[in-house]
Amino acid sequence: MRDDHMGDAGQGTGAGQARGKGYQIWVTALLSLNFGILFFDRNAVNFLMPFVQPDLKLTNTQVGMFSSALSLTWALSGLLVGRISDKLGSKKPVVVIATIAFCLCSFISGAASSFLMLLGARLLMGAAEGGVMPVSHAMIVSEVAPERRGLAMGVAQNLGSNLLGSGLAPILLVPVAAAVGWRTGFYLAALPGLVTAALIWFTLREPPAEVHDEATPKVTLREAFAHRNVILCALIAILLVSYLVVCWAFMPLYLTKARGFAPETMGWLMATLGISAGIGSFVVPAISDAIGRRPVMIFFSFLGVILPLGALYYQGSTLVLAAIFFIGWGLNGLFPMFMATIPAESVDPRLTATLTGVVMGTGEVLGGVLSPFFAGALADSYGLSAPLWLMLVCTVLAGMLTLGLIESAPRVVARRLTPALAAGT
């Protein structure tokens, strides 16, 4: 997997070699843990919603608005905070301040006594959290050696967020809410971030200043969207981010209210998604390295249909339903591919940073913001099964778009070119 989209920023410093492997591992692990706690906070409202909704007397439309609001400020913050960090030439304080801010927002969520107060807390949380990952990536680029940078970035973004935010969160928060109330769940979610903020401040250095090539031309959006793969990846991002966010927002409610599962059972069913995502984040791209991006994108996009269909219609063993959830959520492993890898392999590497930002921003704003609100409105009109049908439509449409992708995996492209070159000689 290529990491050209972050390579240009760090090549001028040689910073990756300035610290030993131990420090590079610690930077990656700590930032991954911090992002995992961030996702723990972000997802807490979804797993606690079966307790929050009746207490605050929320409609399903209002439930969807929480995810929409956070996604909106998350996307805007991701663009603004990264630019502010570059202008200030400071990264570590930005991550620390943002971490403390989203912890405070989790406390405010626990104290919320109305829809508007909780909505305001989610808006502020998105603003605090959105810039953490871009700045964390910049820190990794500056500190980790180029030959390990791609793996480090994958671990920082995927491992902690999936294992903690999607895996541990429902297992831990649901029993707490059942025992002592949902507000305590929010307070509990806030505490670990204060610990990682302190660790980042006291154990990580401010990365060395990056050297930029002033001769590099400014990239326009027209240039960014000149390649078919980029357009398709942006559209796929809208659909699969919608699939992801709608599942987080409404699957816990569907399982408890429509299917009648106990909150504890819902919690560990949702936890299987985190385990699946943690494994898929590495396994799925690795398979695509060997057999190609296009077939893997096609297969896993269509595979995503089994999760909503299983939740809607499977009436057998809960363990089998957990296996359906685990397998269907394997499409989560596609996210780094369509958000970064395929665009990076399809165009001039100098355009990669812009393309990655465009694809991620498009998916988060159009998918993450609009889809939960739409799903909530559908749920109010047609019942809690409607959001699951929306998930089904999204993954089928995404699968259809993947059929138009041009293969970009270097190893596969090289294999295809070899016979042609041999014939030419």
Side-chain angles (χ1 to χ4, degrees):
M1 186 182 301
R2 291 178 57 180
D3 60 329
D4 295 331
H5 58 294
M6 298 298 292
D8 294 342
Q11 286 174 352
T13 65
Q17 288 76 18
R19 290 281 174 139
K21 288 184 179 180
Y23 183 77
Q24 295 177 39
I25 292 172
W26 175 242
V27 170
T28 303
L30 183 54
L31 293 176
S32 179
L33 176 63
N34 191 60
F35 195 58
I37 292 169
L38 178 154
F39 253 78
F40 190 101
D41 284 356
R42 175 175 180 169
N43 287 342
V45 71
N46 301 317
F47 302 127
L48 295 173
M49 192 51 64
F51 304 93
V52 176
Q53 188 180 37
D55 192 17
L56 297 186
K57 298 178 175 58
L58 304 173
T59 67
N60 291 316
T61 301
Q62 290 173 325
V63 171
M65 287 178 68
F66 293 134
S67 293
S68 296
L70 189 144
S71 293
L72 175 61
T73 52
W74 177 295
L76 296 175
S77 174
L79 295 173
L80 295 175
V81 173
R83 292 180 181 179
I84 292 172
S85 176
D86 286 339
K87 288 183 179 180
L88 294 176
S90 181
K91 298 180 178 64
K92 186 174 77 168
V94 172
V95 174
V96 171
I97 292 171
T99 300
I100 295 173
F102 74 68
C103 291
L104 293 176
C105 291
S106 188
F107 276 109
I108 296 172
S109 298
S113 57
S114 67
F115 163 72
L116 288 178
M117 187 173 178
L118 186 54
L119 181 65
R122 305 311 289 178
L123 284 166
L124 292 174
M125 179 172 282
E129 293 178 345
V132 171
M133 198 68 252
V135 180
S136 296
H137 273 323
M139 293 178 71
I140 289 173
V141 167
S142 297
E143 298 287 16
V144 177
E147 61 269 20
R148 291 185 290 273
R149 193 177 294 156
L151 176 60
M153 293 171 69
V155 169
Q157 181 169 341
N158 294 325
L159 186 60
S161 61
N162 289 318
L163 295 184
L164 297 181
S166 300
L168 181 62
I171 294 176
L172 182 60
L173 292 176
V174 171
V176 168
V180 294
W182 60 268
R183 298 182 188 278
T184 304
F186 279 116
Y187 300 147
L188 177 65
L191 295 176
L194 300 177
V195 177
T196 55
L199 288 173
I200 291 170
W201 182 257
F202 288 110
T203 68
L204 299 188
R205 67 171 181 174
E206 176 64 33
E210 299 168 352
V211 177
H212 298 274
D213 183 3
E214 298 296 336
T216 302
K218 184 178 180 180
V219 177
T220 66
L221 287 178
R222 178 175 295 182
E223 291 173 313
F225 279 93
H227 196 284
R228 185 208 304 178
N229 277 1
V230 178
I231 299 173
L232 290 174
C233 284
L235 295 174
I236 291 168
I238 295 171
L239 292 166
L240 293 188
V241 168
S242 297
Y243 180 98
L244 202 74
V245 175
V246 170
C247 184
W248 283 339
F250 289 98
M251 188 64 77
L253 290 175
Y254 178 79
L255 292 174
T256 53
K257 290 191 169 185
R259 291 293 305 269
F261 287 111
E264 292 78 9
T265 303
M266 174 276 292
W268 70 260
L269 279 171
M270 294 299 294
T272 62
L273 303 184
I275 299 171
S276 173
I279 296 173
S281 296
F282 300 97
V283 172
V284 174
I287 296 173
S288 76
D289 283 338
I291 69 172
R293 315 290 186 216
R294 185 174 179 271
V296 171
M297 288 287 299
I298 293 170
F299 176 79
F300 280 95
S301 293
F302 284 116
L303 184 67
V305 304
I306 71 170
L307 196 160
L309 287 177
L312 285 165
Y313 293 114
Y314 181 74
Q315 300 293 329
S317 166
T318 308
L319 290 176
V320 175
L321 182 59
I324 293 172
F325 274 41
F326 179 89
I327 295 170
W329 203 245
L331 62 70
N332 192 274
L334 300 178
F335 276 65
M337 291 171 53
F338 64 73
M339 283 186 169
T341 307
I342 293 175
E345 293 169 341
S346 302
V347 299
D348 186 333
R350 293 176 301 173
L351 307 181
T352 308
T354 297
L355 296 179
T356 302
V358 168
V359 173
M360 293 181 67
T362 301
E364 191 71 41
V365 172
L366 297 181
V369 174
L370 298 180
S371 63
F373 180 80
F374 182 52
L378 288 175
D380 281 334
S381 298
Y382 303 104
L384 282 169
S385 63
L388 276 66
W389 284 107
L390 180 60
M391 290 173 59
L392 183 70
V393 170
C394 286
T395 194
V396 169
L397 290 177
M400 294 174 66
L401 290 175
T402 61
L403 297 172
L405 289 171
I406 301 170
E407 183 57 61
S408 64
R411 187 184 304 176
V412 176
V413 172
R415 283 202 303 261
R416 293 177 180 176
L417 287 176
T418 300
L421 293 174
T425 57

